[in-house]
Amino acid sequence: MLDVVDIGKRSLATYRGVAPDEQLDALFRSAERLRGARCLHLSATPYGGGVSEILRSLVPLYNDLGIVADWKLIHGDDTFFQVTKRIHNGLQGAPGALTESEKAIYLANSQLNARRLIADSEDYDFIFVHDPQPLVLASLSGNRDARWIWRCHIDTSRPNPSFWELLAPYLLDYDAAIFTLQEFIPPALPIEHVRVYAPAIDPLSPKNHPLPQPLARDVLEWIGIRTHRPLVTQVSRFDRWKDPMGVVRAYQRVRPHVPDLQLALVGSLAMDDPEGWDCYEEVRAATAHDSLIHVLTNLVGVGNIEVNALQTYSDVVVQKSLREGFGLVVSEALWKGTPVVGGRVGGIPLQLREDSGGILVDSVEECAEAMLHLLRQPEEARLLGERGREHVRQHFLMPRLLLDHLHLMDTLSS
Ligand code: UDP
């Protein structure tokens, strides 16, 4: 059996007054046609990273609309997740190739998971497969009754061909694929229905719920942040694509101009991300001498509320990615009205528009300049954050994502 993630109950009615009314009205209308349908979301980890963040909020909302939805996890040991991380990196363009034994590990594990899915013997109408870790299950499970949808969360615009050639044959068994940007659609994708739409954040989750400033301050003091000093934060898995060392270098350039500036680097260590530990150690070693740099993880109790407090209270949030699928953390910060300095990659420019949200950068030097500019111009920073929040409200809240999924399901069922 695959593990079922225990999800809470949610009501779409509670989004009234928060998400746009027209999206909520459209959702109730679209759901009429799909009432009673059964859908499954399959992913690799219940916490750490954007996919689990989205599914925890999204899946209960289907149930509220009368569509039966489950979230299940594939199993895997360290070696499997080392291989899938290599695949993730390869699909984002990293060099190299899987060895024959790595391919065998990926396929053998997928085979085991396919058997678990078959053993569950549940009749799903739609199966959403998230990212490359469970990708092969559409072919191996032999289930042709369900509509299979691959939701790719990463930047597959320039995949390393050796990784792409390995996976492309398995995509033949999919009815649809979803990408965050048009340019992420890989060349020669063998899938009939291809959709482009962005992920979304949940404005009502503990991470995004409004946190009163005094409480945010207390939470931050509790984890060692000095709230009378300015603060810049990056919240990301410890992953080289997120360029935490680039953030440290940018911070070091700003520091002579703002001597009491603090930097918080917050990163969760996810189950399916074994490289995270090395990256974490590297960041720790490079910053250990500096008491104004705070390296914080889920392992020392930095969870949703702490991330919320950091995003709420920081003067500037940074997301200096070198490759990025979407970057939920950008919308999370903007939703709190906090301006963002973001790498001009992947889904970040979707969120930081001209004169709204923050500043896009292409290098450490530009990142430092943008941070300094926003720290020195608090009124401009506030306005950018405010406009960014409205942009997020219109485009990147959970009801919009659910609506896009329902439209796709509707198309596939007709
Ligand atoms: N996150 C968190 N704690 C951390 C690091 C990340 O809760 O220490 C969350 C973050 O708030 C966001 C998600 O993990 O909701 C990361 O999603 P994003 O799309 O930014 O990046 P991904 O990890 O999917 O590449």
Side-chain angles (χ1 to χ4, degrees):
M1 305 258 286
L2 293 173
D3 289 335
V4 180
V5 183
D6 203 0
I7 41 162
K9 263 191 145 188
R10 309 297 303 279
S11 155
L12 265 167
T14 56
Y15 290 76
R16 281 271 175 223
V18 181
D21 275 345
E22 58 280 13
Q23 290 176 12
L24 294 168
D25 296 341
L27 258 178
F28 288 110
R29 282 196 305 273
S30 299
E32 281 301 315
R33 288 191 295 279
L34 289 160
R35 203 171 286 277
R38 295 176 56 87
C39 95
L40 170 66
H41 284 262
L42 268 179
S43 77
T45 171
Y47 64 87
V51 175
S52 46
E53 194 76 21
I54 294 164
L55 294 182
R56 191 161 290 284
S57 294
L58 181 76
V59 175
L61 293 178
Y62 285 96
N63 292 319
D64 186 50
L65 289 171
I67 299 165
V68 181
D70 291 327
W71 173 16
K72 292 186 180 177
L73 302 172
I74 56 164
H75 292 221
D77 56 12
D78 270 3
T79 21
F80 174 67
F81 287 128
Q82 269 154 18
V83 174
T84 57
K85 185 68 198 225
R86 300 245 297 128
I87 294 175
H88 170 112
N89 290 341
L91 289 180
Q92 293 214 121
L98 288 189
T99 62
E100 288 310 312
S101 79
E102 286 174 323
K103 287 181 196 167
I105 289 169
Y106 181 56
L107 290 178
N109 232 292
S110 302
Q111 194 67 258
L112 283 174
N113 281 310
R115 276 194 222 121
R116 291 188 180 105
L117 179 62
I118 295 164
D120 286 351
S121 67
E122 299 202 60
D123 293 329
Y124 291 110
D125 302 295
F126 304 94
I127 302 181
F128 288 80
V129 174
H130 292 266
D131 279 345
Q133 299 94 325
L135 185 147
V136 184
L137 265 65
S139 307
L140 300 184
S141 72
N143 177 347
R144 299 314 315 148
D145 294 335
R147 301 275 181 270
W148 287 81
I149 300 140
W150 187 45
R151 201 325 171 191
C152 176
H153 292 268
I154 59 181
D155 174 354
T156 40
S157 49
R158 283 160 292 159
N160 171 333
S162 82
F163 288 88
W164 183 243
E165 281 155 23
L166 172 72
L167 296 186
Y170 297 108
L171 290 172
L172 288 167
D173 287 297
Y174 281 84
D175 300 286
I178 308 163
F179 297 88
T180 298
L181 292 177
Q182 190 71 31
E183 57 261 39
F184 286 178
I185 302 174
L189 181 72
I191 296 183
E192 186 186 349
H193 298 276
V194 180
R195 294 286 183 278
V196 175
Y197 48 86
I201 63 163
D202 185 349
L204 303 182
S205 71
K207 179 169 294 160
N208 296 318
H209 211 277
L211 205 57
Q213 285 277 342
L215 178 58
R217 256 201 313 274
D218 283 354
V219 168
L220 293 187
E221 289 286 346
W222 183 257
I223 57 174
I225 306 285
R226 299 289 166 255
T227 53
H228 57 284
R229 291 183 166 158
L231 174 66
V232 170
T233 297
Q234 173 159 300
V235 178
S236 277
R237 285 178 297 105
F238 286 104
D239 181 325
R240 289 185 178 83
W241 299 117
K242 311 280 186 185
D243 200 17
M245 291 306 299
V247 178
V248 172
R249 283 196 292 277
Y251 165 78
Q252 285 164 344
R253 282 173 165 260
V254 178
R255 184 77 172 274
H257 306 282
V258 189
D260 59 346
L261 182 65
Q262 300 170 98
L263 171 66
L265 287 170
V266 188
S268 51
L269 292 149
M271 218 169 83
D272 65 340
D273 189 4
E275 279 179 8
W277 286 97
D278 295 342
C279 184
Y280 170 66
E281 293 301 343
E282 186 188 345
V283 171
R284 290 271 296 184
T287 58
H289 62 282
D290 190 336
S291 64
L292 292 186
I293 302 183
H294 308 271
V295 181
L296 302 162
T297 72
N298 50 330
L299 303 178
V300 295
V302 174
N304 288 329
I305 301 296
E306 288 77 8
V307 168
N308 187 340
L310 284 157
Q311 292 169 332
T312 302
Y313 207 85
S314 291
D315 298 277
V316 178
V317 159
V318 183
Q319 190 52 47
K320 208 208 144 304
S321 304
L322 303 171
R323 284 268 204 294
E324 188 60 77
F326 180 67
L328 290 175
V329 283
V330 173
S331 280
E332 289 168 1
L334 296 179
W335 183 243
K336 288 138 193 147
T338 304
V340 176
V341 172
R344 194 190 308 276
V345 290
I348 295 178
L350 271 185
Q351 302 172 77
L352 299 183
R353 310 303 290 253
E354 183 98 355
D355 288 334
S356 145
I359 302 176
L360 290 167
V361 296
D362 293 297
S363 64
V364 168
E365 294 71 27
E366 285 183 21
C367 182
E369 269 170 38
M371 277 158 58
L372 187 57
H373 179 79
L374 293 175
L375 288 165
R376 282 181 167 163
Q377 307 293 335
E379 184 51 22
E380 182 185 333
R382 192 189 63 74
L383 272 175
L384 282 172
E386 206 171 276
R387 287 189 213 120
R389 177 179 159 88
E390 184 52 25
H391 183 60
V392 170
R393 199 176 88 82
Q394 292 297 335
H395 300 282
F396 305 123
L397 297 186
M398 205 50 74
R400 196 236 76 233
L401 175 60
L402 182 55
L403 184 59
D404 282 333
H405 281 335
L406 295 197
H407 283 156
L408 175 59
M409 289 158 68
D410 203 17
T411 305
L412 294 178
S413 53
S414 51

